[in-house]
Amino acid sequence: MNSKNVEDLAKVLLINPPLWYYQSVPPDVTAAAALLHNNNIEFEIRDLNLESFHYLFRDHPEVVAQLTDNRYFYNFATLQQTYQRINQMYDRVNEYISPSVLRWNQFDSAIDLRDLSEVLSLATQRIGNPYFDFFNSLLPELVPADVRIVAISIYHPDQVVPLFTLTSLLKEHHPHLHIHIFGNLEDQINTRILVKNFPASDLQLLFSYVDSIGLDNDHYRLSELVQAVYRKSDLNELPSLFTERQLHPDFEIIKDHHYTDKLTLPVLSSIPASGLMPKDVLNVAASVSCYWKGCTYCSIKMHGEYQKDSIENILQMMESFSNQERFAVLRFRDCCISPGDLKRIANEIIRRKLIVSWSCRARLEKEFNPQLFELLKRAGCIMISFGIETFDPRVSQMMNKGIDLTYASVLIKSCYEAGIAVKLTAMVGFPTETIEESLANQEQLRSLFPYCIDIRYNRFILFENSRIALEPDHYSIQKHPFNDRQHLQFFCEFSRESGMTQAEADRIADDFDKKIREVYSLFLSEEHLLLYLKEFGLPSCMNLVNTETQQEKERRI
């Protein structure tokens, strides 16, 4: 697309619908902005997730002031009082939206999110829908006059109700807009999974709310979509674009994943401020899919081939990041970055004398060692999230984690001793897991409390397209078929034939969740935790965890 054609193109409005998962702009929106800017296409970003928080707090400006003012945010006692105020505000909201439940870190719509008819019924009414009045308050002014295309990201099941609430109102107020859905850069759900099982009879209903859905890495297709809409070309000629007339588009995997070098200062300045913390956190993903792709419970392998940006492009992005002041922490949201790539990135950060505070996710692989953790610390890494899931050898093998458990605890301690915070995720209720194995895993996790800044204990979910869902007999489960209304097939229901029962798994999860919350319920978001780590360092933040733990023990005594 040349500049002569581009200069007259209409602006693109990029929207992130509400989701408790982030309190900062997600990476797929950041990627889309970078790629549009690189193609000389004007855009505007509206993070309606961040704006929804401000809408809920509109009668309490003092709450936002305390979250954004350094004096209050970095006073831990005051921050905890602010959190209590926020929870009380959500209590009042929930009185009006029952049976739905909305929290800072939760949205339970009380419906089956796989059933499009239930989703659309809730999306088009005020009762039980906390976003209906919010979106109405924004329209019709939400869409500038020069916008012809609204591109909306989706990357989590909890976004489908706000997504269709928004699109139904957009169609009402702006019937001539082209509404495009995209999203793929992380998590277990992507757009291809979202639409692959829709029967033809329901597609007409779906496309009365949206005009096109990009499949997989379609961030790279947005400029082509803009050009086609502007020129009124045939959209069906575009690969990987799902439309009412093109239900079986040609699927073309984009081989070159690169956008991080395009996150230049003009793009960074276009990203909305959260207004929920003194400084912002920048989310990027330098890869798609996962280089391991072996975990049996995971569906990320359906996101296509593993592709990653070059180390040089990542470093160019980090140079841009180091030359601005609005963002305090760079958060890599890749499924995992290999120890080898982290070593190369860290060496270049040090060689180029970049001042960057950053975090990432990684696998507990033997290539990590104390020397590498010390190198990462010198290069500005402040936190690494590891997914251990289980310390039980049999269950870990069933998961195909590919982790040597004899090294796992040693690596976690080495990371902590190097001065890098450790966030750990674990799982309960994996098929065939016994009560004894689960409790033993809890004891091992408990022994690591002194070395972890945060631990998340996730319940097993059977994702469609995971290896377990494809081979249920091997994992001693019975996968329940979807009914004729469940077309948004995010996850599957199942029954267990061995190991603990579902009721036992739920009870064990509830009990250990309470123990974890006694220690780790200090921050409402990971963004807030990262800002504290940057401001005070790991020892001070661990002292907060240990102090709160001791106070909780004293209260119980």
Side-chain angles (χ1 to χ4, degrees):
M1 188 185 298
N2 59 57
S3 58
K4 182 178 178 180
N5 293 327
V6 169
E7 61 187 12
D8 294 326
L9 287 179
K11 183 190 296 184
V12 178
L13 181 61
L14 296 172
I15 291 181
N16 177 43
L19 176 66
W20 51 267
Y21 194 69
Y22 275 104
Q23 279 80 55
S24 48
V25 178
D28 53 350
V29 174
T30 303
L35 292 162
L36 288 172
H37 181 265
N38 187 62
N39 283 279
N40 301 316
I41 297 175
E42 189 178 358
F43 65 90
E44 179 181 341
I45 301 173
R46 292 291 295 267
D47 192 325
L48 300 189
N49 179 51
L50 299 176
E51 293 183 35
S52 71
F53 288 105
H54 290 276
Y55 178 78
L56 290 173
F57 301 160
R58 64 191 183 280
D59 295 329
H60 300 276
E62 73 282 359
V63 170
V64 174
Q66 290 172 353
L67 289 174
T68 55
D69 190 317
N70 284 340
R71 295 171 300 169
Y72 300 114
F73 182 84
Y74 290 116
N75 181 316
F76 189 69
T78 303
L79 182 63
Q80 293 299 301
Q81 293 171 4
T82 303
Y83 286 170
Q84 291 176 8
R85 290 282 308 280
I86 291 172
N87 286 329
Q88 291 168 0
M89 290 162 58
Y90 277 111
D91 287 340
R92 290 192 288 272
V93 169
N94 287 321
E95 293 176 2
Y96 296 98
I97 65 170
S98 179
S100 297
V101 175
L102 182 67
R103 293 284 178 191
W104 179 284
N105 292 310
Q106 177 191 11
F107 174 46
D108 181 358
S109 60
I111 64 170
D112 185 353
L113 293 174
R114 298 166 297 177
D115 187 331
L116 182 62
S117 61
E118 286 194 34
V119 169
L120 294 179
S121 176
L122 180 57
T124 53
Q125 66 177 357
R126 183 173 184 269
I127 299 174
N129 185 348
Y131 301 111
F132 190 85
D133 287 343
F134 165 56
F135 290 147
N136 262 315
S137 72
L138 299 176
L139 290 164
E141 289 76 13
L142 171 65
V143 182
D146 54 352
V147 164
R148 296 267 300 278
I149 298 173
V150 174
I152 307 175
S153 70
I154 183 167
Y155 48 89
H156 194 284
D158 286 353
Q159 282 181 299
V160 295
V161 169
L163 168 71
F164 285 109
T165 303
L166 176 60
T167 58
S168 66
L169 292 170
L170 284 173
K171 287 292 185 182
E172 176 184 343
H173 290 277
H174 301 279
H176 302 299
L177 278 178
H178 182 98
I179 300 178
H180 178 69
I181 307 300
F182 71 97
N184 180 52
L185 282 180
E186 66 167 309
D187 224 303
Q188 298 286 343
I189 304 300
N190 68 3
T191 47
R192 184 150 52 113
I193 293 172
L194 189 70
V195 301
K196 76 184 187 74
N197 291 312
F198 259 89
S201 58
D202 280 359
L203 285 173
Q204 185 176 0
L205 177 62
L206 174 66
F207 283 112
S208 65
Y209 288 84
V210 302
D211 297 293
S212 60
I213 301 175
L215 304 182
D216 286 354
N217 267 8
D218 64 299
H219 306 74
Y220 299 91
R221 305 287 183 198
L222 278 176
S223 59
E224 299 173 25
L225 175 66
V226 171
Q227 189 177 41
V229 170
Y230 174 73
R231 294 176 173 173
K232 299 182 180 179
S233 303
D234 188 358
L235 297 180
N236 301 322
E237 296 178 359
L238 298 181
S240 303
L241 190 69
F242 192 65
T243 69
E244 188 172 13
R245 292 179 56 201
Q246 179 55 279
L247 304 181
H248 304 286
D250 293 332
F251 185 71
E252 183 178 305
I253 295 176
I254 296 170
K255 294 292 185 181
D256 299 317
H257 176 83
H258 58 90
Y259 83 90
T260 53
D261 62 317
K262 299 173 180 61
L263 282 173
T264 56
L265 289 175
V267 176
L268 295 181
S269 65
S270 72
I271 298 173
S274 76
L276 300 171
M277 55 196 94
K279 284 198 170 184
D280 284 310
V281 172
L282 177 65
N283 298 297
V284 299
S287 62
V288 293
S289 193
C290 171
Y291 68 82
W292 173 245
K293 297 180 74 169
C295 297
T296 58
Y297 55 82
C298 182
S299 69
I300 289 176
K301 62 181 180 292
M302 289 298 294
H303 290 198
E305 296 180 7
Y306 174 67
Q307 301 170 51
K308 63 179 181 179
D309 217 335
S310 68
I311 300 298
E312 177 57 32
N313 283 353
I314 293 171
L315 266 295
Q316 287 183 32
M317 177 269 296
M318 298 183 94
E319 286 184 355
S320 294
F321 183 89
S322 68
N323 289 325
Q324 55 77 49
E325 297 182 353
R326 211 193 88 202
F327 297 96
V329 179
L330 175 65
R331 182 166 66 156
F332 286 100
R333 299 300 294 162
D334 306 64
C335 296
C336 48
I337 303 178
S338 72
D341 282 348
L342 287 173
K343 182 177 181 179
R344 287 187 282 274
I345 290 170
N347 277 324
E348 280 299 304
I349 289 174
I350 293 170
R351 187 183 71 81
R352 301 182 191 198
K353 299 180 180 179
L354 302 180
I355 307 299
V356 184
S357 296
W358 54 282
S359 69
C360 67
R361 296 189 280 198
R363 286 170 43 79
L364 278 165
E365 297 177 350
K366 289 192 292 185
E367 287 74 17
F368 280 112
N369 54 54
Q371 294 75 29
L372 178 53
F373 286 131
E374 290 168 4
L375 175 70
L376 295 173
K377 172 62 177 176
R378 293 202 308 274
C381 182
I382 60 175
M383 188 173 82
I384 301 178
S385 298
F386 294 110
I388 184 65
E389 315 312 344
T390 182
F391 282 95
D392 183 85
R394 186 194 70 81
V395 178
S396 184
Q397 185 175 15
M398 291 284 286
M399 292 178 175
N400 196 32
K401 285 293 293 182
I403 291 175
D404 189 336
L405 294 175
T406 60
Y407 287 89
S409 294
V410 174
L411 293 177
I412 290 168
K413 294 175 183 178
S414 294
C415 186
Y416 164 77
E417 289 166 355
I420 299 174
V422 175
K423 179 178 178 179
L424 206 58
T425 60
M427 185 183 296
V428 62
F430 186 84
T432 76
E433 183 182 29
T434 66
I435 293 176
E436 292 75 19
E437 289 168 334
S438 177
L439 294 178
N441 187 39
Q442 289 182 9
E443 285 305 307
Q444 186 67 33
L445 290 169
R446 202 192 314 266
S447 73
L448 293 171
F449 279 8
Y451 306 97
C452 296
I453 196 69
D454 194 12
I455 292 180
R456 298 295 170 179
Y457 196 54
N458 301 318
R459 302 176 192 226
F460 171 78
I461 297 173
L462 181 60
F463 290 108
E464 179 76 341
N465 306 303
S466 68
R467 186 167 144 193
I468 299 175
L470 297 174
E471 303 173 16
D473 292 345
H474 182 70
Y475 298 91
S476 299
I477 65 168
Q478 285 189 355
K479 178 185 169 185
H480 299 171
F482 293 103
N483 65 41
D484 58 5
R485 300 182 308 277
Q486 294 172 329
H487 306 317
L488 299 168
Q489 297 176 5
F490 302 117
F491 60 89
C492 317
E493 294 173 351
F494 68 98
S495 54
R496 304 169 185 269
E497 296 178 341
S498 67
M500 71 180 92
T501 66
Q502 187 61 50
E504 290 169 335
D506 290 340
R507 176 180 56 80
I508 289 172
D510 288 341
D511 290 345
F512 198 55
D513 273 341
K514 293 176 183 177
K515 295 181 175 66
I516 288 177
R517 284 197 298 271
E518 291 173 0
V519 180
Y520 295 115
S521 59
L522 304 183
F523 296 96
L524 280 183
S525 73
E526 185 174 296
E527 288 93 333
H528 286 187
L529 168 60
L530 289 171
L531 291 181
Y532 259 69
L533 285 168
K534 176 178 171 57
E535 181 73 13
F536 298 115
L538 179 59
S540 295
C541 290
M542 288 301 295
N543 283 339
L544 286 176
V545 172
N546 294 333
T547 299
E548 291 296 303
T549 304
Q550 183 59 37
Q551 290 176 351
E552 183 63 35
K553 289 179 180 177
E554 292 172 356
R555 282 194 291 269
R556 288 202 305 271
I557 293 173

